[in-house]
Amino acid sequence: MVHLSDGEKNAISTAWGKVNAAEIGAESLGRLLVVYPWTQRFFDAFGDLSSASAVMGNDKVKAHGKKVIDSFSNGLKHLDNLKGTFASLSELHCDKLHVDPENFKLLGNMIVIVMAHHLGKDFTPEAQAAFQKVVAGVANALSHKYH
Amino acid sequence: MVLSPADKTNVKAVWDKIGTNGAAYGTEALDRMFLSFPTTKTYFPHFDLSHGSAQVQGHGKKVADALANAAAHVDDLPGALSTLSDLHAHKLRVDPVNFKLLSHCLLVTLAAHHPAEFTPAVHASLDKFLASVSTVLTSKYR
């Protein structure tokens, strides 16, 4: 469960309201694959990931980024029960996808950086702090069912 | 992890672009870090950490100047950062996990202020640079 003040909840919905979620998703996943190339290990089927421009322009990366961010967006509506909301996704990532939970932290921080990139000064230290709590909560929830 | 010639070029270009804003960005990164990662405040019990604090501003400038120096001597980070490395190992003893937190907040700050320059490739170079600096600063810990 993420504990957010009313101010923090406000900061989150204000910031999220200013961005195009699909773009944030595509950008965040793309940058994850560029900045931490070892994360490409999960995406052999995605085709050309050989350069930054190939990654950022890759349609499968964009589509997957949108899938991921839709899930994240859903999480934003259930901040009082992230573990419940992400329970089956957690099982999937452990049992079928075999993703090290460290990757959830990396992607969460990418989302924060991309938010800053899009919002500039509007992504205040307070807004960032609220988002850091959320991405940490989501990463935690996604690793909760690991065994 | 090795900084490629392209990485070094990217880092120097960013620092040229930062120009005289270094101190302001250093301060902003610290503000962001103290707010987002409250455990980092434990290293500054002697500081006023409120927004606008002169002590945080002074420290932000210190951090920025050290990074500018590192960027200017990117071919020899151990040499350029030797004194700071000793300081962190023997006096400050900041737990290594915290370097990632400050590095992250520096990236957030740069992304917010220089969106055009902060391309994925430059972002990658900066991340590697900050990780290299962090490695050097913790290299004499034990």
Coordinates of all heavy atoms in Angstrom, one line a residue, chain A residues 27 31 34-36 52 56 102 108-110 112-113 116-121 123-126 128-130 132, chain B residues 28 31-33 35-37 100 104-105 107-109 111-116 118-121 123-124 127-128:
Chain A
E27 N 8.4 5.6 -24.7 CA 9.6 6.3 -24.4 C 10.3 5.6 -23.3 O 11.6 5.4 -23.3 CB 9.3 7.7 -23.9 CG 9.6 9.0 -24.3 CD 10.7 9.4 -25.1 OE1 11.8 9.7 -24.7 OE2 10.4 9.6 -26.3
R31 N 13.8 3.8 -23.8 CA 15.0 4.2 -23.1 C 15.6 3.1 -22.1 O 16.8 3.0 -22.0 CB 14.7 5.5 -22.3 CG 14.7 6.7 -23.2 CD 14.3 8.0 -22.4 NE 14.2 9.1 -23.4 CZ 15.1 10.1 -23.5 NH1 16.2 10.1 -22.9 NH2 14.9 11.1 -24.4
V34 N 17.7 1.0 -24.3 CA 18.9 1.8 -24.8 C 19.9 2.0 -23.6 O 21.1 1.7 -23.8 CB 18.5 3.1 -25.4 CG1 19.8 4.0 -25.7 CG2 17.7 2.9 -26.6
V35 N 19.4 2.5 -22.5 CA 20.3 2.8 -21.4 C 20.9 1.6 -20.7 O 22.0 1.5 -20.2 CB 19.7 3.8 -20.4 CG1 20.6 4.1 -19.2 CG2 19.2 5.1 -21.1
Y36 N 20.0 0.5 -20.6 CA 20.4 -0.7 -19.9 C 20.3 -1.8 -20.9 O 19.3 -2.6 -20.8 CB 19.6 -0.9 -18.6 CG 19.6 0.2 -17.7 CD1 18.4 0.9 -17.4 CD2 20.8 0.7 -17.1 CE1 18.4 2.0 -16.6 CE2 20.7 1.8 -16.2 CZ 19.6 2.4 -16.0 OH 19.6 3.5 -15.1
A52 N 20.1 3.1 -30.8 CA 19.1 3.9 -30.1 C 17.9 4.2 -31.0 O 16.8 4.1 -30.7 CB 19.7 5.1 -29.6
M56 N 14.0 3.1 -30.5 CA 13.0 4.1 -30.3 C 11.9 4.1 -31.4 O 10.8 4.4 -31.2 CB 13.6 5.5 -30.1 CG 14.6 5.7 -29.0 SD 14.1 5.0 -27.4 CE 12.9 6.2 -26.8
E102 N 14.4 -6.6 -10.2 CA 15.3 -5.4 -10.3 C 14.8 -4.6 -11.5 O 14.9 -3.3 -11.5 CB 16.7 -5.8 -10.4 CG 17.7 -4.7 -10.6 CD 17.7 -3.8 -9.3 OE1 17.4 -4.2 -8.2 OE2 18.1 -2.6 -9.5
G108 N 10.6 1.7 -13.5 CA 10.0 2.8 -12.7 C 10.8 4.1 -12.8 O 10.2 5.1 -13.0
N109 N 12.1 4.0 -12.6 CA 12.9 5.2 -12.6 C 12.9 5.8 -14.0 O 13.0 7.0 -14.2 CB 14.3 4.9 -12.1 CG 14.4 4.9 -10.6 OD1 13.6 5.6 -10.0 ND2 15.4 4.2 -10.1
M110 N 12.8 4.9 -15.1 CA 12.8 5.5 -16.4 C 11.5 6.3 -16.6 O 11.5 7.3 -17.2 CB 12.7 4.3 -17.4 CG 14.1 3.9 -17.9 SD 15.1 5.2 -18.5 CE 16.7 4.4 -18.4
V112 N 9.9 7.9 -14.4 CA 10.1 9.2 -13.7 C 11.0 10.1 -14.6 O 10.6 11.3 -14.7 CB 10.8 9.0 -12.3 CG1 11.3 10.3 -11.7 CG2 9.9 8.3 -11.4
I113 N 12.0 9.6 -15.2 CA 12.9 10.5 -16.0 C 12.1 11.0 -17.2 O 12.2 12.1 -17.6 CB 14.2 9.7 -16.4 CG1 15.1 9.5 -15.2 CG2 14.9 10.4 -17.5 CD1 16.3 8.7 -15.5
A116 N 9.9 13.8 -16.4 CA 10.6 15.0 -16.2 C 11.0 15.6 -17.6 O 10.9 16.8 -17.8 CB 11.9 14.8 -15.4
H117 N 11.3 14.7 -18.5 CA 11.7 15.1 -19.9 C 10.5 15.8 -20.6 O 10.7 16.8 -21.2 CB 12.1 13.9 -20.7 CG 12.8 14.2 -21.9 ND1 12.5 13.5 -23.1 CD2 13.7 15.1 -22.2 CE1 13.3 14.0 -24.1 NE2 14.0 15.0 -23.6
H118 N 9.3 15.3 -20.3 CA 8.1 15.8 -21.0 C 7.6 17.1 -20.3 O 7.1 18.0 -20.9 CB 7.0 14.8 -21.0 CG 7.1 13.8 -22.1 ND1 6.2 13.6 -23.1 CD2 8.1 13.0 -22.4 CE1 6.6 12.6 -23.9 NE2 7.8 12.3 -23.6
L119 N 7.7 17.1 -18.9 CA 7.0 18.2 -18.2 C 8.0 19.3 -17.8 O 7.5 20.3 -17.3 CB 6.3 17.6 -16.9 CG 5.2 16.6 -17.2 CD1 4.7 16.0 -15.9 CD2 4.0 17.4 -17.9
G120 N 9.3 19.1 -17.9 CA 10.2 20.1 -17.5 C 10.0 20.6 -16.1 O 9.8 19.8 -15.2
K121 N 10.0 21.9 -15.9 CA 9.9 22.5 -14.6 C 8.6 22.1 -13.9 O 8.6 22.0 -12.6 CB 9.8 24.0 -14.7 CG 11.2 24.6 -14.8 CD 11.2 26.2 -14.6 CE 10.3 26.9 -15.6 NZ 11.1 27.7 -16.6
F123 N 7.5 19.3 -13.5 CA 7.7 18.1 -12.8 C 8.6 18.5 -11.6 O 9.8 18.2 -11.5 CB 8.4 17.0 -13.6 CG 8.4 15.6 -13.1 CD1 7.2 15.0 -12.9 CD2 9.6 14.9 -12.7 CE1 7.1 13.7 -12.3 CE2 9.5 13.6 -12.2 CZ 8.3 13.0 -12.0
T124 N 7.9 19.1 -10.6 CA 8.6 19.6 -9.5 C 9.2 18.5 -8.6 O 8.8 17.4 -8.7 CB 7.6 20.4 -8.6 OG1 6.6 19.5 -8.1 CG2 6.9 21.5 -9.4
P125 N 10.1 18.9 -7.7 CA 10.6 17.9 -6.7 C 9.5 17.2 -6.0 O 9.6 16.0 -5.7 CB 11.5 18.8 -5.8 CG 12.0 19.9 -6.7 CD 10.8 20.2 -7.6
E126 N 8.4 18.0 -5.7 CA 7.3 17.3 -4.9 C 6.6 16.3 -5.8 O 6.2 15.2 -5.3 CB 6.3 18.4 -4.5 CG 6.8 19.3 -3.4 CD 7.8 20.4 -3.8 OE1 8.0 20.6 -5.0 OE2 8.5 20.9 -2.9
Q128 N 7.9 14.7 -8.3 CA 8.8 13.6 -8.5 C 8.7 12.6 -7.2 O 8.6 11.4 -7.4 CB 10.3 14.0 -8.7 CG 11.2 12.8 -8.8 CD 12.7 13.2 -8.8 OE1 13.1 14.4 -8.8 NE2 13.5 12.2 -8.7
A129 N 8.8 13.3 -6.0 CA 8.7 12.5 -4.8 C 7.5 11.6 -4.8 O 7.5 10.4 -4.4 CB 8.9 13.4 -3.6
A130 N 6.4 12.2 -5.2 CA 5.1 11.4 -5.2 C 5.2 10.2 -6.2 O 4.8 9.1 -5.8 CB 3.9 12.3 -5.5
Q132 N 7.9 8.8 -7.2 CA 8.9 7.8 -6.8 C 8.2 6.8 -5.8 O 8.5 5.6 -5.9 CB 10.1 8.4 -6.1 CG 11.0 9.4 -6.9 CD 11.9 8.6 -7.9 OE1 12.5 9.3 -8.8 NE2 11.9 7.3 -7.9
Chain B
E28 N 19.3 21.7 -7.3 CA 18.0 21.1 -7.6 C 18.0 19.5 -7.4 O 17.1 18.9 -6.9 CB 17.6 21.4 -9.0 CG 16.2 20.9 -9.3 CD 15.7 21.3 -10.7 OE1 16.0 22.4 -11.2 OE2 15.0 20.4 -11.3
D31 N 17.9 18.8 -3.8 CA 16.5 19.0 -3.3 C 15.6 17.8 -3.7 O 14.8 17.3 -2.8 CB 15.9 20.2 -4.0 CG 16.2 21.5 -3.2 OD1 16.6 21.4 -2.1 OD2 16.1 22.6 -3.8
R32 N 15.7 17.4 -4.9 CA 14.9 16.2 -5.4 C 15.3 15.0 -4.6 O 14.4 14.2 -4.3 CB 15.1 16.0 -6.9 CG 14.5 17.1 -7.8 CD 14.7 16.8 -9.3 NE 14.1 17.9 -10.1 CZ 12.8 17.9 -10.5 NH1 12.0 16.9 -10.0 NH2 12.3 18.9 -11.2
M33 N 16.5 14.8 -4.4 CA 17.0 13.6 -3.7 C 16.5 13.5 -2.3 O 16.0 12.5 -1.8 CB 18.5 13.5 -3.7 CG 19.0 12.2 -3.2 SD 20.8 12.1 -3.1 CE 21.2 13.3 -1.7
L35 N 13.9 14.9 -1.0 CA 12.4 14.8 -1.0 C 12.0 13.4 -1.4 O 11.2 12.7 -0.8 CB 11.8 15.7 -2.0 CG 11.2 17.0 -1.4 CD1 10.6 17.9 -2.4 CD2 10.0 16.6 -0.4
S36 N 12.6 12.8 -2.5 CA 12.2 11.5 -3.0 C 12.8 10.4 -2.1 O 12.2 9.3 -2.0 CB 12.7 11.3 -4.4 OG 11.9 12.0 -5.3
F37 N 14.0 10.6 -1.6 CA 14.7 9.5 -0.9 C 15.1 10.0 0.5 O 16.3 10.3 0.7 CB 15.9 9.0 -1.7 CG 15.5 8.7 -3.2 CD1 15.9 9.5 -4.2 CD2 14.7 7.6 -3.4 CE1 15.5 9.2 -5.5 CE2 14.3 7.3 -4.7 CZ 14.7 8.1 -5.8
K100 N 23.6 6.0 -6.5 CA 22.6 5.8 -7.6 C 21.5 6.8 -7.4 O 20.9 7.2 -8.4 CB 22.1 4.4 -7.5 CG 23.0 3.3 -8.1 CD 22.3 2.0 -8.2 CE 23.3 1.0 -8.7 NZ 22.8 -0.4 -8.8
H104 N 20.4 9.4 -10.2 CA 19.1 9.4 -10.8 C 18.5 10.9 -10.8 O 18.0 11.3 -11.8 CB 18.2 8.5 -10.0 CG 16.7 8.5 -10.4 ND1 16.2 8.1 -11.6 CD2 15.7 9.0 -9.6 CE1 14.9 8.3 -11.6 NE2 14.5 8.8 -10.4
C105 N 18.6 11.5 -9.6 CA 18.1 12.9 -9.5 C 18.8 13.9 -10.4 O 18.2 14.8 -10.9 CB 18.1 13.3 -8.0 SG 16.9 12.4 -7.1
L107 N 20.0 13.0 -13.4 CA 19.4 12.8 -14.7 C 18.0 13.4 -14.8 O 17.7 14.0 -15.9 CB 19.3 11.3 -14.9 CG 20.6 10.5 -15.1 CD1 20.4 9.0 -15.2 CD2 21.3 11.0 -16.4
V108 N 17.2 13.3 -13.8 CA 15.9 13.9 -13.8 C 16.0 15.4 -14.0 O 15.3 16.0 -14.8 CB 15.1 13.7 -12.5 CG1 13.8 14.5 -12.4 CG2 14.7 12.2 -12.3
T109 N 16.9 16.1 -13.3 CA 17.2 17.5 -13.4 C 17.6 17.9 -14.8 O 17.0 18.8 -15.4 CB 18.2 18.0 -12.4 OG1 17.8 17.6 -11.1 CG2 18.4 19.5 -12.5
A111 N 17.1 16.2 -17.6 CA 16.0 15.9 -18.5 C 15.0 17.0 -18.5 O 14.5 17.4 -19.6 CB 15.3 14.6 -18.1
A112 N 14.7 17.5 -17.3 CA 13.7 18.6 -17.2 C 14.2 19.9 -17.8 O 13.4 20.6 -18.4 CB 13.4 18.8 -15.7
H113 N 15.5 20.2 -17.7 CA 16.0 21.5 -18.2 C 16.5 21.5 -19.6 O 16.6 22.6 -20.2 CB 17.2 22.0 -17.2 CG 16.7 22.5 -15.9 ND1 16.2 23.7 -15.7 CD2 16.6 21.8 -14.7 CE1 15.8 23.9 -14.4 NE2 16.0 22.7 -13.8
H114 N 16.9 20.3 -20.1 CA 17.5 20.3 -21.5 C 16.8 19.2 -22.3 O 17.5 18.2 -22.7 CB 19.0 20.0 -21.4 CG 19.7 21.2 -20.8 ND1 20.0 22.4 -21.4 CD2 20.2 21.4 -19.5 CE1 20.6 23.2 -20.6 NE2 20.8 22.6 -19.4
P115 N 15.5 19.3 -22.5 CA 14.8 18.2 -23.2 C 15.4 17.9 -24.6 O 15.5 16.7 -25.0 CB 13.4 18.7 -23.3 CG 13.4 20.1 -23.0 CD 14.6 20.4 -22.1
A116 N 15.8 18.9 -25.3 CA 16.3 18.7 -26.7 C 17.6 17.9 -26.7 O 17.8 17.0 -27.5 CB 16.5 20.0 -27.4
F118 N 18.6 15.9 -24.3 CA 18.5 14.6 -23.5 C 17.9 13.5 -24.4 O 16.9 13.0 -24.0 CB 17.7 14.9 -22.2 CG 17.9 13.9 -21.1 CD1 19.0 13.8 -20.4 CD2 16.9 12.9 -20.9 CE1 19.2 12.9 -19.4 CE2 17.0 12.0 -19.9 CZ 18.2 12.0 -19.1
T119 N 18.6 13.2 -25.5 CA 18.1 12.1 -26.3 C 18.4 10.8 -25.6 O 19.2 10.8 -24.7 CB 18.9 12.1 -27.6 OG1 20.3 12.0 -27.3 CG2 18.7 13.4 -28.4
P120 N 17.8 9.7 -26.1 CA 18.2 8.4 -25.5 C 19.7 8.1 -25.5 O 20.2 7.6 -24.5 CB 17.4 7.4 -26.4 CG 16.2 8.2 -26.8 CD 16.7 9.6 -27.1
A121 N 20.4 8.4 -26.6 CA 21.8 8.1 -26.6 C 22.6 8.9 -25.6 O 23.5 8.4 -24.9 CB 22.3 8.3 -28.0
H123 N 21.3 10.3 -22.9 CA 20.9 9.8 -21.6 C 21.7 8.6 -21.2 O 22.2 8.5 -20.1 CB 19.4 9.4 -21.8 CG 18.7 8.8 -20.6 ND1 17.4 8.5 -20.6 CD2 19.2 8.3 -19.4 CE1 17.0 7.9 -19.4 NE2 18.1 7.8 -18.7
A124 N 21.9 7.7 -22.2 CA 22.7 6.5 -21.9 C 24.1 6.9 -21.5 O 24.7 6.4 -20.5 CB 22.7 5.5 -23.1
D127 N 24.2 8.4 -18.0 CA 24.0 7.3 -17.0 C 25.3 6.6 -16.7 O 25.7 6.4 -15.6 CB 22.9 6.4 -17.4 CG 22.5 5.4 -16.3 OD1 23.3 4.6 -15.9 OD2 21.3 5.6 -15.9
K128 N 26.0 6.3 -17.8 CA 27.3 5.6 -17.7 C 28.3 6.4 -17.0 O 29.1 6.0 -16.2 CB 27.8 5.2 -19.1 CG 27.1 4.0 -19.7 CD 27.5 3.8 -21.2 CE 28.8 3.1 -21.3 NZ 29.1 2.8 -22.7

